[in-house]
Amino acid sequence: MGRIILEQVTKSFGDVNVIPPLDLEIEDGEFVVFVGPSGCGKSTLLRLIAGLEDVSSGQISIDGRAATELPPAKRGLAMVFQSYALYPHMSVRKNISFPLKMAGLDQAEQNKRVEAAAKVLNLTDYLDRRPGQLSGGQRQRVAIGRAIVREPAAFLFDEPLSNLDAALRVNMRLEISELHNSLETTMIYVTHDQVEAMTMADKIVVLRAGHIEQVGTPLDLYRNPRNLFVAGFIGSPKMNFIEGAEAAKHNAATIGIRPEHLSISKSEGQWKGTVGVSEHLGSDTFLHVHAKDLTSEPITVRSDGEVDIHHGDTVFLSPQDDKIHRFDKEGLRIS
Amino acid sequence: MARAVTPARKATVTVFAWGVGLLIFFPILWTILTSFKTEAEAIASPPSFVGFDWTLENYSTVMERSNYFLHFLNSVVISVGSTLIGLLVAIPAAWSMAFVPGKRTKDVLMWMLSTKMLPPVGVLIPIYLIFRDTGLLDTRTGLVIVLTLINLPIIVWMLYTYFKEIPVDILEAARMDGASLRAEIIYVLTPMAVPGIASTLLLNIILAWNEAFWTLNLTAANAAPLTAFIASYSSPEGLFYAKLSAASTMAIAPILIMGWFSQKQLVRGLTFGAVK
Ligand SMILES: Nc1ncnc2c1ncn2[C@@H]1O[C@H](COP(=O)(O)OP(=O)(O)O)[C@@H](O)[C@H]1O
Ligand SMILES: [Mg+2]
């Protein structure tokens, strides 16, 4: 069980207001990702839920119970830290069983649960080692093991993968998603990486400067970004924005079109430009096209991997009309 | 970027390190050698290194003339006592400065360190007078008090730097894992802080053991530690280099042996790869 509700929660550090009044509901069993640029208050929000920081005002409830005043130990949540925060003087076994020991479980039950968690996380052979003798990925697993053994109401993750190399990150991403599928426990996951957000979340909360910009499923945010910030933040490569005369044609201050919704041709199309840098990924090619009379930024276009277009070629781009996003002067979506 | 370690470079570094090491150790070695010579050999020119008549005569004379064990006991009481009391005061102080720093924490630390920059002789007269009037002159209690105060800034600073290295994340992880404050202190904090506290303890015992300014100025006979015992052999009555050396050797031997056995502890770091 892990339904978490935040009502009018604020947080200031001294004079600096990091979280303005914020409301949020997290349903039981949901995988929620807080995503936003560095310094936007994601960690602070997570730590408020964890109880590691006190709210400046507002209410937090967990499973219908007022939790605002509860210390972290009483909230029944488990957290995985970016730094892993393992106990350096304890073996892996002791690390994982620590929450069980704190909960007062007997030794036999502790062992049973530790062995089970170690099996799921491929740590069985490492139970007697110290954290210092493990690789980054293994330490990450120990941190996750320590979180799952006590069957918390919800898991909190603060950028857990950012210290891992790219390949391992993809693996761990899948493992955490699988863990969520099998445990069906609420997970709140903080990241600045929108790819992690898109691939893992049931629900994404986009934050900027402590404000919630939009809440929705990954596809919601992809299809109907509420404003320019969300439009630019979600999706990779980033959405192209065009202002001025071309936008006015669509009765908007700014229009946005994703690289995958543009087609490219050497002979005909709506917008004319010159090919700059191309990035070949094998499956896809991303072409950066300069169209000076539209926008000063290069326009990114996704094309198939074997496209026969080169640096300096003159090309024509055509957007899919129904995939054009329109925004007003304030940057809000016009629907 | 790691530079390649060529055999030649390695040899140079090794020779250099040994050179510096021997240079530092030489006076101690010479003292020890001299303590086994007769007074005549001790001042012979050119001096001989090992080819002299080894004798224990100096040691027996020193043992006869002065009460070594009293001084030894005084040294132990004063150095251990002042260090333990210092730790008792400094642990909570450093703790709060490391984990709940305020706006002025840095200033307080700097101020404490700045007291170590004053020449102690500047406060000798007032302290001497206070000690005289309170009857603390030439008492172990008096010396424990003075050395505690003298070394407190260093103890606080050392502990502060050690505590600072304990990642707050780990303490927070313990809280998330359901640890009460008591459990957090017993199972997480203390095991991680003990190596730092132990290093501080050892280093301060050594500092207090070797402290000579206050111990010489505030004692006469009863509370005199080994530093005063050495000094009593450097009298102008005549040249007693060999006996002086024997006294010095006896004074430094205990701390040297303790230092030798605890060197690992003295240089040991705090964390072992918990974070990152
Ligand atoms: N303990 C603190 N004291 C003062 N300011 C803080 C503290 N923790 C965070 N902040 C500030 O709050 C803002 C949000 O920080 P954080 O939640 O860590 O961002 P994120 O995790 O999104 O990168 C930052 O501007 C940061 O400087
Ligand atoms: Mg953060």
Side-chain angles (χ1 to χ4, degrees), chain A residues 13 18 37-44:
Chain A
F13 292 108
V18 177
S38 198
C40 71
K42 308 179 295 286
S43 298
T44 305

Side-chain angles (χ1 to χ4, degrees), chain B residues 5 8-9 33 38 57 85 98 139 180 189 208 228 249 261:
Chain B
V5 182
R9 163 173 269 132
L33 286 176
T38 62
E57 188 190 324
I85 296 176
T139 60
S180 61
L189 276 177
T249 306
F261 280 110

